[in-house]
Amino acid sequence: MSASHITLRAYEHADLDAAIELWRRTWQEAYPDIDFAARLTWWRARWQDELVPTCTIILAEQNATLIGFVTIDPASGYLDQLVVAPELWGSGTGAQLVEAAKRHAPGGITLLVNKDNARAIGFYARCGFVFAGEDVNPVSGRAVNKMTWMP
């Protein structure tokens, strides 16, 4: 399936449940040993309390179905989440969402990606991001790479 017939649009509150479920399903595919269903309450609170107030959230839809989203803080250029439905990984949807994020943060973007997520690291490198250091995720305790994109 390709990303040629996707529509990008701004997040609306009515998209909350679909966005949270897509987030859960995608992370569950990436890390099958972790019970992400147990984190739904935390994710919902984080989405509503942290991401919605500060980020521009761009949704990708295909046939009126949510297939991906990106959250970008235009003030800081921090990309917190890039989520694409697992069945569309490699379709170009993620690249379209990254390009949309770049338009909302033209001064540059910073993100953190789990160090053990080689697929995501390779994807971001193909989108023009470069390695900018290492850190530890304060919530999960996982090692992360800091990556940046500059225009």
Side-chain angles (χ1 to χ4, degrees):
M1 195 177 262
S2 79
S4 61
H5 294 93
I6 72 167
T7 302
L8 299 182
R9 69 169 177 85
Y11 169 80
E12 298 172 2
H13 182 70
D15 300 311
L16 174 66
D17 291 337
I20 297 297
E21 174 53 20
L22 181 61
W23 195 4
R24 184 210 59 80
R25 189 167 67 87
T26 301
W27 276 80
Q28 194 65 69
E29 180 74 21
Y31 292 98
D33 296 338
I34 299 173
D35 179 10
F36 287 104
R39 298 179 181 194
L40 287 176
T41 301
W42 177 82
W43 267 350
R44 184 176 292 272
R46 183 163 185 271
W47 182 270
Q48 292 177 300
D49 299 340
E50 296 176 33
L51 298 177
V52 169
T54 61
C55 293
T56 297
I57 303 173
I58 304 155
L59 306 182
E61 292 182 321
Q62 191 168 50
N63 301 322
T65 300
L66 180 64
I67 60 167
F69 62 81
V70 64
T71 66
I72 182 76
D73 181 340
S76 68
Y78 183 69
L79 189 157
D80 190 276
Q81 294 296 316
L82 174 65
V83 170
V84 174
E87 63 274 14
L88 291 171
W89 289 349
S91 70
T93 302
Q96 288 187 42
L97 287 165
V98 167
E99 288 304 313
K102 287 176 179 179
R103 289 190 294 275
H104 283 82
I109 296 175
T110 301
L111 59 86
L112 298 175
V113 58
N114 288 340
K115 213 173 163 74
D116 63 356
N117 194 340
R119 180 190 51 78
I121 292 168
F123 166 79
Y124 287 121
R126 288 188 301 278
C127 289
F129 287 78
V130 296
F131 177 79
E134 298 177 351
D135 205 344
V136 174
N137 182 303
V139 176
S140 70
R142 288 182 176 267
V144 292
N145 285 347
K146 180 179 180 182
M147 296 185 79
T148 60
W149 166 81
M150 296 303 292

Short mmCIF file of all heavy atoms in Angstrom, two decimals, residues 74-109:
data_model
loop_
_atom_site.label_atom_id
_atom_site.label_comp_id
_atom_site.label_asym_id
_atom_site.label_seq_id
_atom_site.Cartn_x
_atom_site.Cartn_y
_atom_site.Cartn_z
N PRO A 74 6.41 23.79 17.44
CA PRO A 74 7.00 24.78 16.55
C PRO A 74 7.94 25.76 17.26
O PRO A 74 8.86 26.29 16.65
CB PRO A 74 5.81 25.53 15.95
CG PRO A 74 4.58 24.90 16.47
CD PRO A 74 4.95 23.89 17.51
N ALA A 75 7.73 25.98 18.56
CA ALA A 75 8.58 26.91 19.29
C ALA A 75 9.98 26.34 19.52
O ALA A 75 10.98 27.03 19.33
CB ALA A 75 7.94 27.27 20.63
N SER A 76 10.06 25.07 19.90
CA SER A 76 11.36 24.47 20.20
C SER A 76 11.90 23.60 19.07
O SER A 76 13.08 23.27 19.05
CB SER A 76 11.25 23.59 21.46
OG SER A 76 10.44 22.45 21.20
N GLY A 77 11.03 23.20 18.15
CA GLY A 77 11.44 22.29 17.08
C GLY A 77 11.56 20.85 17.54
O GLY A 77 12.14 20.02 16.85
N TYR A 78 10.97 20.52 18.69
CA TYR A 78 11.05 19.14 19.20
C TYR A 78 9.94 18.28 18.60
O TYR A 78 8.76 18.60 18.74
CB TYR A 78 10.99 19.11 20.72
CG TYR A 78 11.15 17.71 21.26
CD1 TYR A 78 12.39 17.06 21.17
CD2 TYR A 78 10.09 17.02 21.82
CE1 TYR A 78 12.55 15.77 21.63
CE2 TYR A 78 10.25 15.73 22.29
CZ TYR A 78 11.48 15.11 22.19
OH TYR A 78 11.64 13.82 22.64
N LEU A 79 10.34 17.21 17.94
CA LEU A 79 9.40 16.24 17.40
C LEU A 79 9.26 15.13 18.45
O LEU A 79 10.19 14.38 18.68
CB LEU A 79 9.91 15.67 16.07
CG LEU A 79 8.96 14.81 15.25
CD1 LEU A 79 9.38 14.80 13.79
CD2 LEU A 79 8.83 13.40 15.77
N ASP A 80 8.11 15.08 19.09
CA ASP A 80 7.91 14.12 20.17
C ASP A 80 7.46 12.77 19.65
O ASP A 80 7.96 11.74 20.08
CB ASP A 80 6.89 14.67 21.18
CG ASP A 80 6.84 13.83 22.43
OD1 ASP A 80 6.11 12.81 22.43
OD2 ASP A 80 7.51 14.17 23.43
N GLN A 81 6.51 12.76 18.73
CA GLN A 81 5.97 11.48 18.24
C GLN A 81 5.80 11.51 16.72
O GLN A 81 5.30 12.48 16.16
CB GLN A 81 4.59 11.19 18.86
CG GLN A 81 4.63 10.96 20.35
CD GLN A 81 5.41 9.72 20.72
OE1 GLN A 81 5.28 8.66 20.10
NE2 GLN A 81 6.25 9.84 21.75
N LEU A 82 6.22 10.43 16.10
CA LEU A 82 5.92 10.15 14.70
C LEU A 82 5.38 8.73 14.68
O LEU A 82 6.10 7.80 15.06
CB LEU A 82 7.16 10.26 13.81
CG LEU A 82 6.93 9.85 12.35
CD1 LEU A 82 5.96 10.79 11.65
CD2 LEU A 82 8.25 9.78 11.60
N VAL A 83 4.13 8.59 14.30
CA VAL A 83 3.46 7.30 14.35
C VAL A 83 2.85 7.02 12.99
O VAL A 83 2.16 7.87 12.43
CB VAL A 83 2.37 7.30 15.45
CG1 VAL A 83 1.50 6.06 15.37
CG2 VAL A 83 3.01 7.44 16.82
N VAL A 84 3.11 5.82 12.47
CA VAL A 84 2.51 5.36 11.22
C VAL A 84 2.01 3.95 11.44
O VAL A 84 2.72 3.13 12.04
CB VAL A 84 3.52 5.40 10.04
CG1 VAL A 84 2.93 4.78 8.78
CG2 VAL A 84 3.98 6.83 9.78
N ALA A 85 0.81 3.66 10.98
CA ALA A 85 0.23 2.32 11.11
C ALA A 85 1.25 1.29 10.60
O ALA A 85 1.84 1.47 9.52
CB ALA A 85 -1.07 2.22 10.33
N PRO A 86 1.49 0.23 11.37
CA PRO A 86 2.52 -0.75 10.99
C PRO A 86 2.37 -1.31 9.58
O PRO A 86 3.36 -1.54 8.91
CB PRO A 86 2.36 -1.85 12.04
CG PRO A 86 1.75 -1.17 13.22
CD PRO A 86 0.86 -0.10 12.65
N GLU A 87 1.15 -1.51 9.13
CA GLU A 87 0.95 -2.06 7.78
C GLU A 87 1.36 -1.08 6.69
O GLU A 87 1.45 -1.44 5.52
CB GLU A 87 -0.50 -2.53 7.59
CG GLU A 87 -1.54 -1.45 7.67
CD GLU A 87 -2.04 -1.14 9.10
OE1 GLU A 87 -1.40 -1.57 10.10
OE2 GLU A 87 -3.06 -0.44 9.19
N LEU A 88 1.64 0.17 7.08
CA LEU A 88 2.08 1.18 6.12
C LEU A 88 3.53 1.60 6.31
O LEU A 88 3.99 2.56 5.68
CB LEU A 88 1.16 2.40 6.18
CG LEU A 88 -0.26 2.14 5.67
CD1 LEU A 88 -1.17 3.30 5.96
CD2 LEU A 88 -0.23 1.84 4.18
N TRP A 89 4.26 0.91 7.18
CA TRP A 89 5.68 1.21 7.32
C TRP A 89 6.34 1.01 5.96
O TRP A 89 6.10 0.04 5.26
CB TRP A 89 6.33 0.31 8.36
CG TRP A 89 5.91 0.63 9.77
CD1 TRP A 89 5.22 1.73 10.20
CD2 TRP A 89 6.16 -0.15 10.93
NE1 TRP A 89 5.02 1.67 11.56
CE2 TRP A 89 5.59 0.53 12.04
CE3 TRP A 89 6.81 -1.36 11.15
CZ2 TRP A 89 5.66 0.04 13.33
CZ3 TRP A 89 6.88 -1.84 12.45
CH2 TRP A 89 6.31 -1.15 13.53
N GLY A 90 7.16 1.95 5.55
CA GLY A 90 7.84 1.87 4.26
C GLY A 90 7.02 2.40 3.10
O GLY A 90 7.48 2.37 1.96
N SER A 91 5.84 2.94 3.37
CA SER A 91 4.94 3.39 2.30
C SER A 91 5.19 4.83 1.87
O SER A 91 4.64 5.28 0.87
CB SER A 91 3.48 3.28 2.75
OG SER A 91 3.20 4.24 3.77
N GLY A 92 5.96 5.58 2.65
CA GLY A 92 6.16 7.00 2.36
C GLY A 92 5.31 7.90 3.25
O GLY A 92 5.50 9.12 3.27
N THR A 93 4.40 7.33 4.02
CA THR A 93 3.56 8.13 4.92
C THR A 93 4.41 8.86 5.95
O THR A 93 4.21 10.05 6.19
CB THR A 93 2.52 7.23 5.62
OG1 THR A 93 1.74 6.57 4.64
CG2 THR A 93 1.62 8.03 6.54
N GLY A 94 5.34 8.16 6.58
CA GLY A 94 6.21 8.79 7.57
C GLY A 94 7.00 9.94 6.99
O GLY A 94 7.13 11.00 7.61
N ALA A 95 7.53 9.76 5.79
CA ALA A 95 8.30 10.83 5.14
C ALA A 95 7.42 12.05 4.88
O ALA A 95 7.87 13.19 5.06
CB ALA A 95 8.91 10.32 3.85
N GLN A 96 6.18 11.83 4.48
CA GLN A 96 5.27 12.96 4.26
C GLN A 96 4.99 13.70 5.57
O GLN A 96 4.94 14.93 5.61
CB GLN A 96 3.96 12.49 3.63
CG GLN A 96 4.13 12.10 2.17
CD GLN A 96 2.81 11.80 1.50
OE1 GLN A 96 1.82 12.49 1.71
NE2 GLN A 96 2.79 10.76 0.68
N LEU A 97 4.84 12.95 6.66
CA LEU A 97 4.62 13.58 7.96
C LEU A 97 5.85 14.34 8.42
O LEU A 97 5.74 15.44 8.98
CB LEU A 97 4.20 12.53 8.99
CG LEU A 97 2.76 12.01 8.82
CD1 LEU A 97 2.55 10.73 9.62
CD2 LEU A 97 1.75 13.08 9.21
N VAL A 98 7.04 13.81 8.20
CA VAL A 98 8.26 14.51 8.56
C VAL A 98 8.38 15.80 7.75
O VAL A 98 8.76 16.85 8.30
CB VAL A 98 9.51 13.62 8.38
CG1 VAL A 98 10.79 14.44 8.45
CG2 VAL A 98 9.54 12.52 9.43
N GLU A 99 8.07 15.75 6.47
CA GLU A 99 8.12 16.98 5.66
C GLU A 99 7.15 18.02 6.18
O GLU A 99 7.47 19.22 6.21
CB GLU A 99 7.85 16.65 4.18
CG GLU A 99 9.01 15.93 3.51
CD GLU A 99 10.32 16.69 3.60
OE1 GLU A 99 10.35 17.92 3.33
OE2 GLU A 99 11.34 16.07 3.95
N ALA A 100 5.97 17.59 6.62
CA ALA A 100 5.01 18.53 7.21
C ALA A 100 5.57 19.12 8.49
O ALA A 100 5.42 20.33 8.74
CB ALA A 100 3.68 17.82 7.47
N ALA A 101 6.21 18.30 9.32
CA ALA A 101 6.82 18.80 10.55
C ALA A 101 7.90 19.83 10.23
O ALA A 101 8.01 20.86 10.91
CB ALA A 101 7.40 17.64 11.36
N LYS A 102 8.69 19.58 9.20
CA LYS A 102 9.75 20.52 8.81
C LYS A 102 9.15 21.87 8.42
O LYS A 102 9.74 22.92 8.71
CB LYS A 102 10.57 19.95 7.66
CG LYS A 102 11.49 18.81 8.07
CD LYS A 102 12.22 18.24 6.86
CE LYS A 102 13.17 17.12 7.24
NZ LYS A 102 13.85 16.55 6.06
N ARG A 103 8.00 21.87 7.78
CA ARG A 103 7.35 23.14 7.42
C ARG A 103 6.88 23.90 8.67
O ARG A 103 6.84 25.14 8.65
CB ARG A 103 6.17 22.88 6.48
CG ARG A 103 6.60 22.45 5.08
CD ARG A 103 5.45 22.44 4.09
NE ARG A 103 4.44 21.45 4.38
CZ ARG A 103 4.46 20.17 4.01
NH1 ARG A 103 5.50 19.71 3.32
NH2 ARG A 103 3.47 19.36 4.32
N HIS A 104 6.54 23.19 9.74
CA HIS A 104 6.09 23.83 10.98
C HIS A 104 7.24 24.21 11.91
O HIS A 104 7.03 24.95 12.87
CB HIS A 104 5.09 22.93 11.71
CG HIS A 104 3.74 22.95 11.10
ND1 HIS A 104 3.40 22.19 9.99
CD2 HIS A 104 2.64 23.65 11.40
CE1 HIS A 104 2.16 22.42 9.66
NE2 HIS A 104 1.67 23.30 10.49
N ALA A 105 8.42 23.70 11.65
CA ALA A 105 9.60 24.02 12.45
C ALA A 105 10.78 24.28 11.50
O ALA A 105 11.76 23.53 11.49
CB ALA A 105 9.91 22.88 13.42
N PRO A 106 10.67 25.34 10.71
CA PRO A 106 11.68 25.58 9.66
C PRO A 106 13.07 25.90 10.19
O PRO A 106 14.03 25.86 9.43
CB PRO A 106 11.09 26.75 8.87
CG PRO A 106 10.20 27.46 9.84
CD PRO A 106 9.64 26.38 10.73
N GLY A 107 13.19 26.20 11.47
CA GLY A 107 14.50 26.49 12.04
C GLY A 107 15.29 25.24 12.42
O GLY A 107 16.46 25.33 12.75
N GLY A 108 14.64 24.09 12.36
CA GLY A 108 15.31 22.84 12.69
C GLY A 108 14.47 21.99 13.63
O GLY A 108 13.57 22.48 14.30
N ILE A 109 14.77 20.70 13.65
CA ILE A 109 14.03 19.74 14.46
C ILE A 109 15.01 18.89 15.25
O ILE A 109 16.06 18.49 14.74
CB ILE A 109 13.16 18.83 13.58
CG1 ILE A 109 12.08 19.65 12.87
CG2 ILE A 109 12.52 17.70 14.41
CD1 ILE A 109 11.25 18.84 11.88
#
